[in-house]
Amino acid sequence: MSSAAQHVLRPPSEVAALAVAPGPSDELASGPWASMASGPPPSMPRTLPQFSGVLAASAALRVECSREGFTRVRSFTRDTLHDWSLDHRCDDTALVVTELTANAATHAAPGEAGVPEILLGFLLDPTHVLVTVSDPDDHPPVYASADSGLEEHGRGLRIVDTLAEEWGWVLRSPAGKTVWARLPACPPI
């Protein structure tokens, strides 16, 4: 029986290259926000977040776009945070990961096999968890306007914006993007 998602643990430097991978030509793609009716979210930073200390741990997962694959994404998130003694951050992080991977699966261009190649990454420093979701599509994530409250879809990035300290996206080289969210690792007060 084959696994719907490939659980892969790598050294932190490899995961950073796989999951975030901003190269010299990669930049925050802020230009498309100007043409969007709803505009950028209030917390949209202009750079990828910098770590506050030494990278402590990392994990990565290749996501299969199926019901079983998304169940594994949530389990992988909870297991990873549990292994890092961050059980107090499981619910918020699992919700952020669910929204970002669902967006990638819904909106990303299909790969050679007909489904998008989606990569989930976690990077841990002493004070934050950085969640990254990479896909092959270059289009910016769409942040729904405030008046779309009754819509069936489109509130995912508003949820991410509420739960994360900051989030954003960068173009990847040669194609695609990485959407990221930074969540605190410290217990809530």
Side-chain angles (χ1 to χ4, degrees):
M1 181 170 157
S2 65
S3 171
Q6 303 299 317
H7 182 162
V8 180
L9 293 177
R10 294 186 168 88
S13 60
E14 286 182 31
V15 172
L18 172 70
V20 180
S25 65
D26 294 340
E27 60 185 58
L28 181 66
S30 57
W33 290 115
S35 64
M36 293 175 55
S38 58
S43 65
M44 180 61 79
R46 300 232 172 252
T47 61
L48 196 64
Q50 299 300 309
F51 286 104
S52 59
V54 177
L55 185 60
S58 64
L61 177 73
R62 188 172 310 279
V63 179
E64 181 180 305
C65 297
S66 69
R67 185 177 307 234
E68 292 167 345
F70 291 118
T71 299
R72 285 193 175 93
V73 163
R74 288 185 291 277
S75 294
F76 176 78
T77 299
R78 290 185 183 283
D79 291 346
T80 298
L81 294 181
H82 175 75
D83 290 347
W84 294 347
S85 299
L86 294 173
D87 293 303
H88 58 279
R89 290 295 175 197
C90 281
D91 292 339
D92 288 353
T93 306
L95 187 52
V96 166
V97 166
T98 298
E99 294 299 333
L100 294 181
T101 55
N103 282 352
T106 302
H107 302 291
E112 292 177 19
V115 295
E117 166 94 356
I118 299 172
L119 302 172
L120 168 63
F122 292 103
L123 301 171
L124 175 67
D125 75 6
T127 60
H128 291 92
V129 175
L130 182 68
V131 174
T132 62
V133 176
S134 301
D135 66 61
D137 189 52
D138 293 335
H139 292 93
V142 177
Y143 189 81
S145 65
D147 61 349
S148 65
L150 297 177
E151 297 292 323
E152 184 176 346
H153 300 284
R155 293 183 304 270
L157 291 179
R158 287 200 167 278
I159 293 169
V160 171
D161 191 47
T162 299
L163 296 175
E165 282 187 354
E166 63 180 345
W167 71 275
W169 67 286
V170 294
L171 289 172
R172 293 181 51 152
S173 204
K177 68 179 172 297
T178 297
V179 182
W180 56 269
R182 189 172 75 148
L183 295 108
C186 302
I189 296 175

